[in-house]
Amino acid sequence: MARHLDSRLRTTPRFTLRPFRRRDVVALHEAVLSSQKELQPWLPWASSYDRSVAQRFVRDSAAAWAEGKAFDFAVRTSGDPNHHLGNVSIWWTSRQNGIGEIGYWIRSDMTGQGVGTEVTARAIQIGFEEMDCHKLVLRIAVGNVGSERIAERLGFTFEGTLRDEVKIGDEWVDHTAWSLLDFEWSDLYGKLRADGVLA
Ligand SMILES: CC(C)(COP(=O)(O)OP(=O)(O)OC[C@H]1O[C@@H](n2cnc3c(N)ncnc32)[C@H](O)[C@@H]1OP(=O)(O)O)[C@@H](O)C(=O)NCCC(=O)NCCS
């Protein structure tokens, strides 16, 4: 398994993915605040978000990347590189067994345009082709229909329901677990290229 990823810019047909930089704090903070209502039901960190949380995220993200533990990508377009569109991340849950997990969010005024599908497809490609993963997983809060559609469109198999996985506000929320295995990648890659989701 590859421990380290280089920090070069990666592209999709419409977007760019790159590691966070210190000067991304303002754009990240703005994107989360503008999307807070839609992020809060699914992502516990979104409810009390301020500049210091964004600062800590960028700092921790650089450290985790350098240690080869987790790789957070800022999603942008080349035409408007300072406008933050969302995050897609991939991190090891078991390096020994080659298992990685993917997470994502897209700013609310950009949802419904295939951004989530396209950047998650690129993260899958990074997982199999650069990190040499055997298995990639998604964990999705029950009721998050948009995220479930991304899992289905990207060929993930539903594995089951994990009870009380995360506390959001005062409520415990179940997650569904989804997975994709390395031998499923080549067929999926062909399909995603044919659909224009991957370059
Ligand atoms: C879930 C999320 C990532 C979807 O991003 P997106 O850019 O809108 O996704 P896409 O446009 O690629 O849509 C993927 C599919 O889901 C469908 N979809 C998206 N949002 C939906 C919603 N709220 N309800 C029902 N379907 C939805 C789209 O129609 C599309 O379906 P199709 O493939 O049949 O055309 C985005 O809404 C988001 O960031 N939500 C808040 C944070 C979050 O839930 N993150 C994921 C945690 S697991």
Side-chain angles (χ1 to χ4, degrees):
M1 312 299 155
R3 188 186 173 100
H4 290 289
L5 279 191
D6 65 73
S7 58
R8 81 192 136 89
L9 184 113
R10 282 132 177 112
T11 57
T12 75
R14 292 181 293 167
F15 307 107
T16 60
L17 273 58
R18 62 154 175 79
F20 281 83
R21 304 172 186 144
R22 238 184 297 170
R23 64 174 176 273
D24 290 330
V25 169
V26 173
L28 172 64
H29 184 217
E30 180 277 324
V32 172
L33 288 194
S34 76
S35 312
Q36 212 162 13
K37 193 160 74 67
E38 292 76 22
L39 299 180
Q40 264 171 4
W42 317 115
L43 301 171
W45 52 260
S47 45
S48 49
Y49 203 87
D50 59 21
R51 180 75 71 89
S52 69
V53 180
Q55 257 159 354
R56 198 164 53 243
F57 173 84
V58 170
R59 195 184 56 227
D60 292 350
S61 175
W65 189 297
E67 289 167 23
K69 288 183 176 162
F71 308 101
D72 298 309
F73 293 92
V75 179
R76 305 286 171 95
T77 59
S78 48
D80 193 0
N82 295 320
H83 188 55
H84 191 73
L85 304 187
N87 288 23
V88 62
S89 303
I90 181 164
W91 61 94
W92 291 110
T93 56
S94 167
R95 191 180 287 116
Q96 190 178 7
N97 294 301
I99 304 175
E101 181 165 343
I102 293 175
Y104 41 78
W105 62 268
I106 302 303
R107 65 180 296 138
S108 299
D109 58 9
M110 284 295 290
T111 53
Q113 301 172 47
V115 185
T117 303
E118 192 168 316
V119 301
T120 305
R122 190 69 180 87
I124 293 169
Q125 185 175 29
I126 292 166
F128 287 130
E129 295 186 2
E130 297 189 49
M131 294 164 69
D132 210 14
C133 288
H134 167 59
K135 173 173 176 168
L136 294 175
V137 302
L138 301 176
R139 285 185 306 123
I140 300 173
V142 168
N144 191 344
V145 181
S147 196
E148 284 173 2
R149 275 298 299 146
I150 289 179
E152 288 165 352
R153 269 206 71 191
L154 295 176
F156 281 77
T157 295
F158 172 77
E159 288 197 342
T161 303
L162 310 167
R163 298 183 302 158
D164 282 5
E165 269 285 289
V166 63
K167 200 170 190 185
I168 301 196
D170 293 332
E171 299 279 321
W172 283 103
V173 176
D174 293 349
H175 272 173
T176 54
W178 301 74
S179 68
L180 192 63
L181 298 175
D182 50 6
F183 68 84
E184 295 167 325
W185 170 236
S186 62
D187 279 358
L188 178 65
Y189 175 68
K191 182 180 165 306
L192 293 175
R193 281 202 56 162
D195 289 351
V197 174
L198 282 176

